[in-house]
């Protein structure tokens, strides 16, 4: 079996998209391929087919392979809860909370589980495309490394190094990273991919020749900058897409521990929506709709909202007829209290909620992790949707007698008596055009405004973007060299 690992000179060098592109390129040829990420640190995660959770970027790569997400694809997921601590997810399940120093020491104990997950995938698929994390040149993290060269050495697999030329200094990135590797690590690094290039490739070619001569490594190719690429991000919050002047104004607070912000990608793509993410200390502008997103630390982020003046802005927004919609942790914030008696998301205690719905939430052990299907009851058309739940809290109270949706025949979420405030536990609810259209129609002033343009079917959009990435591999990378590196026959990709 063959494993190829993609590492990057920096975070956000493009490892995730390169892995997704290679996975899709191979899958389109009928190669049995799966993604693997030994360790991921992200607040964006996805529910797996075996009842756990993995990083959403790895789930996207599974989709590129035509596979359902599986726990083995991302055996270690770290979900930050503070600047120095995170929830540790092992093989899809919550292991506990650790501070950074404790986890750094714990990695040696985790490595066998990482290798077991990789071996399990190897029994099911012919090719594994693995993704590193951060940079292999992070000297302070080399001890007990499981994310980059520590795994590559244990798996004895070749490595390709990705550098981002758009930020500048790509040759220094690549050569400098190599210089900080051990001899064995340098030897297993077989070549480079330069990512996000803009301009005339002829101006870059002398540098590519120098790089190959200087390092003795192959340049597998140069990938162009992809304008308009909107695809599930691992960490960074995206920006708004293009919209028309009379668009529906939607704002989202960028919580310190915002989770699954990919919920909003369909709104970024909607031509009738002007979506803005409002960061710390930024003025809160007028809007038609305020959406409170998911949170990994609901009470902490609730305190941040208060410190930033959001409760006052929300009350003013409601007085002027605006609407509020909330997802998961944001839904919990709408109630009167959020209790965490066992400190599952941080310190033990209770935090007063926004008081917009008569309900309370109590954090309890045992995370809800499941895919769901349902219909929206926010309007008579009862639009159908598919989504997923991922939360610890249990919410109770009179507000739940007016649900916003039905999930497999059971009520979910709540909507206020005046119809201005609503929330749900379901992530991914904007992905289906019908559900997205229904919520935006509800949010429009008076509920009878026509939005410019149609909602995007985000599930189809993901597939189109993955094909777009695979086309880049065919057009801009040395595919014969890649086949040889992977042990694939040039004429028969399934022949090992």
């Amino acid at each position: 079996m063959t494993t190829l690992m993609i590492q990057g000179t920096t975070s956000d060098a493009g490892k995730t998209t390169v892995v997704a592109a290679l996975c899709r390129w191979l899958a389109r040829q009928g190669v049995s391929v799966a993604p693997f990420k030994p360790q991921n640190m992200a607040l964006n995660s996805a529910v797996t087919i075996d009842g756990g959770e993995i990083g959403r970027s790895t789930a996207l790569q599974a989709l590129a392979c035509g596979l359902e997400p599986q726990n083995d694809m991302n055996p270690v997921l770290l979900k930050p809860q503070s600047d120095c601590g995170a929830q540790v997810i092992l093989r899809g399940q919550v292991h506990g909370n650790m501070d950074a120093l404790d986890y750094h020491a714990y990695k040696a104990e985790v490595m066998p589980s990482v290798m077991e997950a990789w071996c399990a995938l190897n029994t099911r698929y012919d090719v594994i495309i693995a993704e590193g994390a951060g940079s292999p040149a992070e000297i302070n993290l080399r001890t007990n490394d499981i994310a980059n060269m520590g795994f590559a050495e244990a798996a004895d697999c070749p490595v390709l190094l990705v550098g981002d030329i758009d930020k500048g200094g790509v040759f220094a990135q690549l050569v400098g990273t190599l210089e900080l590797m051990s001899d064995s690590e340098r030897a297993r690094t077989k070549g480079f991919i330069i990512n996000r290039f803009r301009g005339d490739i002829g101006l870059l070619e002398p540098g590519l020749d120098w790089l190959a001569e200087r390092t003795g490594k192959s340049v597998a190719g140069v990938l162009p900058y992809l304008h308009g690429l909107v695809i599930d991000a691992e960490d960074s919050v995206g920006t708004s897409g293009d919209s028309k002047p009379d668009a529906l104004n939607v704002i989202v607070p960028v919580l310190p521990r915002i989770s699954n912000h990919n919920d909003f990608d369909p709104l970024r793509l909607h031509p009738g929506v002007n979506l803005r993410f409002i960061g710390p200390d930024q003025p809160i502008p007028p809007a038609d709709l305020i959406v409170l997103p998911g949170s990994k630390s609901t009470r902490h982020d609730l305190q941040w909202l208060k410190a930033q003046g959001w409760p006052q802005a929300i009350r003013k927004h409601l007085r002027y007829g605006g609407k509020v919609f909330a997802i998961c942790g944001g839904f919990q914030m709408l109630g009167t209290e959020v209790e965490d008696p066992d400190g599952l998301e941080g310190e033990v205690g209770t935090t007063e909620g926004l008081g917009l719905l008569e309900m309370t939430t109590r954090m309890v052990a045992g995370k809800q992790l499941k895919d769901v299907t349902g219909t929206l009851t926010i309007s008579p058309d009862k639009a159908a949707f598919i989504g997923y739940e991922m939360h610890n809290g249990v919410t109770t109270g009179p507000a739940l007698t007016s649900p916003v949706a039905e999930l497999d025949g059971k009520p979910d979420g709540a909507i206020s008596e005046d119809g201005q405030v609503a929330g749900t536990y379901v992530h991914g609810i904007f992905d289906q055009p019908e559900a997205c259209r229904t919520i935006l129609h509800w949010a429009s002033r008076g509920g009878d405004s026509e939005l410019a343009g149609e909602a995007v079917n985000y599930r189809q959009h993901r597939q189109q973007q993955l094909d777009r990435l695979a086309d880049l591999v065919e057009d801009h990378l040395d595919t014969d060299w890649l086949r040889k590196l992977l042990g694939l026959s040039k004429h028969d990709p399934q022949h090992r």
Side-chain angles (χ1 to χ4, degrees):
M1 307 304 168
T2 300
T3 295
L4 170 65
M5 192 171 200
I6 305 299
Q7 298 184 12
T9 56
T10 62
S11 293
D12 199 35
K15 298 182 293 293
T16 295
T17 53
V18 169
V19 170
L22 290 172
C23 285
R24 188 61 152 216
W25 171 66
L26 290 167
R28 289 200 309 196
Q29 300 169 69
V31 175
S32 172
V33 58
F36 183 73
K37 183 149 185 169
Q39 175 188 288
N40 195 356
M41 178 177 283
L43 288 172
N44 286 344
S45 57
V47 175
T48 64
I49 194 171
D50 33 4
E53 61 178 309
I54 63 173
R56 178 150 290 278
S57 58
T58 309
L60 176 73
Q61 293 158 358
L63 182 66
C65 299
L67 303 173
E68 295 286 348
Q70 302 165 34
N71 291 339
D72 288 336
M73 294 174 176
N74 177 203
V76 180
L77 173 61
L78 306 176
K79 305 187 80 170
Q81 292 181 307
S82 68
D83 290 343
C84 297
Q87 183 181 68
V88 180
I89 311 290
L90 295 182
R91 305 289 286 274
Q93 304 302 319
V94 175
H95 177 74
N97 299 332
M98 290 189 182
D99 64 34
L101 286 175
D102 287 343
Y103 176 73
H104 187 61
Y106 182 67
K107 285 190 292 185
E109 299 181 40
V110 172
M111 189 59 165
S113 184
V114 169
M115 300 309 293
E116 287 171 9
W118 171 68
C119 288
L121 286 180
N122 267 320
T123 65
R124 302 196 290 272
Y125 305 100
D126 290 339
V127 175
I128 306 297
I129 306 296
E131 179 185 354
S135 164
E138 293 168 344
I139 303 304
N140 56 310
L141 300 177
R142 296 292 289 278
T143 303
N144 298 330
D145 172 57
I146 65 174
N148 290 296
M149 283 298 180
F151 167 77
E153 295 269 76
D156 192 21
C157 68
V159 172
L160 292 182
L161 191 60
V162 178
D164 179 6
I165 196 171
D166 192 52
K167 292 185 174 67
V170 72
F171 297 111
Q173 292 175 37
L174 294 168
V175 175
T177 300
L178 274 185
E179 287 297 319
L180 293 174
M181 291 180 182
S182 69
D183 290 343
S184 63
E185 293 168 351
R186 197 176 299 116
R188 73 174 58 259
T189 303
K190 303 303 181 183
F192 309 111
I193 294 175
I194 292 178
N195 194 31
R196 300 189 183 116
F197 176 71
R198 315 187 201 212
D200 188 333
I201 192 69
L203 294 175
L204 185 63
E205 285 172 349
L208 302 181
D209 294 339
W210 174 90
L211 181 64
E213 183 178 353
R214 170 69 172 76
T215 64
K217 309 290 183 184
S218 298
V219 178
V222 178
L223 297 174
Y225 188 97
L226 276 186
H227 293 277
L229 181 69
V230 177
I231 207 161
D232 300 37
E234 183 172 75
D235 295 304
S236 56
V237 178
T239 57
S240 175
D242 296 328
S243 60
K244 297 185 179 181
D246 57 349
L248 190 77
N249 289 306
V250 181
I251 59 174
V252 180
V254 182
L255 307 172
R257 302 297 169 201
I258 187 173
S259 68
N260 292 50
H261 54 69
N262 48 279
D263 281 335
F264 303 105
D265 286 346
L267 299 186
R268 292 172 59 196
L269 293 167
H270 198 303
V273 172
N274 177 27
L275 177 69
R276 292 184 59 187
F277 292 100
I278 310 300
D281 301 321
Q282 289 184 326
I284 303 171
D288 299 296
L289 174 65
I290 295 175
V291 184
L292 300 182
S295 167
K296 186 63 194 73
S297 299
T298 303
R299 291 174 56 229
H300 176 272
D301 283 350
L302 184 52
Q303 295 285 23
W304 180 88
L305 276 181
K306 293 175 182 177
Q308 292 287 314
W310 278 90
Q312 297 93 322
I314 289 172
R315 286 195 292 270
K316 180 179 179 180
H317 169 77
L318 292 173
R319 284 199 303 272
Y320 282 87
K323 301 289 178 64
V324 174
F325 191 82
I327 299 170
C328 200
F331 172 56
Q332 294 171 343
M333 295 178 192
L334 295 178
T336 55
E337 286 184 341
V338 179
E339 307 169 4
D340 193 354
D342 300 315
L344 296 175
E345 290 193 347
E347 295 181 0
V348 172
T350 298
T351 299
E352 183 179 351
L354 298 175
L356 299 176
L357 293 175
E358 194 175 349
M359 63 186 199
T360 62
T361 297
R362 183 182 181 91
M363 298 300 172
V364 297
K367 185 180 289 187
Q368 289 285 333
L369 290 168
K370 60 181 178 179
D371 292 319
V372 296
T373 60
T375 56
L376 284 167
T377 57
I378 201 169
S379 69
D381 60 4
K382 292 198 172 184
F385 61 85
I386 301 171
Y388 61 98
E389 287 190 58
M390 182 178 291
H391 61 91
N392 281 108
V394 173
T395 301
T396 58
L400 303 185
T401 59
S402 298
V404 75
E406 291 182 356
L407 304 180
D408 303 317
K410 298 179 181 179
D412 167 74
I415 184 168
S416 61
E417 289 186 9
D418 60 11
Q420 286 186 264
V421 179
T424 177
Y425 265 120
V426 179
H427 291 283
I429 201 164
F430 293 115
D431 285 9
Q432 292 83 45
E434 296 79 9
C436 184
R437 186 183 305 113
T438 293
I439 294 171
L440 295 178
H441 181 72
W442 164 80
S444 61
R445 299 285 175 166
D448 55 3
S449 300
E450 288 295 327
L451 290 174
E454 283 295 314
V456 171
N457 185 323
Y458 197 66
R459 290 175 174 247
Q460 291 180 4
H461 172 84
R462 282 190 183 100
Q463 299 285 3
Q464 293 164 355
Q465 298 295 289
L466 290 169
D467 281 330
R468 188 181 178 196
L469 292 175
D471 291 342
L472 288 188
V473 174
E474 285 286 358
D475 296 340
H476 298 280
L477 298 188
D478 187 341
T479 54
D480 288 342
W481 183 85
L482 284 172
R483 290 180 202 279
K484 184 177 179 181
L485 185 63
L486 292 167
L488 296 171
S489 166
K490 180 177 180 181
H491 300 293
D492 181 5
Q494 298 189 71
H495 177 69
R496 306 296 305 166

